[in-house]
Amino acid sequence: FMFTGRGKIMACANCKIRAQYDKNPKSLIGRFWRFHINFCPGWKAYLKSLSEEERAQLAEKYGLK
């Protein structure tokens, strides 16, 4: 888990729903996760906490802008 500046736990790195997407992107749960990250403030904070290289890897893996 990752702690945000406000003391909240950010579980994006170990998200079970994200793991479902990685396993089968076309599953209902996988599609929901991919839709969800378009507006999720936790996911955006998680991305900001990563290095530029890590962000680039995730952008390529998940087709992010």
Side-chain angles (χ1 to χ4, degrees):
F1 290 105
M2 192 173 197
F3 288 94
T4 66
R6 298 179 195 152
K8 295 182 181 180
I9 296 175
M10 191 181 316
C12 298
N14 302 313
C15 177
K16 291 181 183 182
I17 299 173
R18 178 180 170 191
Q20 285 291 326
Y21 177 89
D22 291 341
K23 185 177 176 181
N24 183 4
K26 294 184 180 184
S27 71
L28 182 61
I29 294 173
R31 289 181 293 160
F32 170 77
W33 177 82
R34 183 58 183 85
F35 167 75
H36 174 79
I37 66 169
N38 289 320
F39 56 85
C40 177
W43 177 257
K44 291 177 182 182
Y46 171 67
L47 289 179
K48 286 182 181 179
S49 73
L50 299 174
S51 70
E52 186 65 35
E53 182 180 319
E54 291 170 316
R55 278 193 300 272
Q57 289 172 349
L58 286 180
E60 184 177 332
K61 182 176 183 176
Y62 298 122
L64 306 173
K65 296 178 183 179

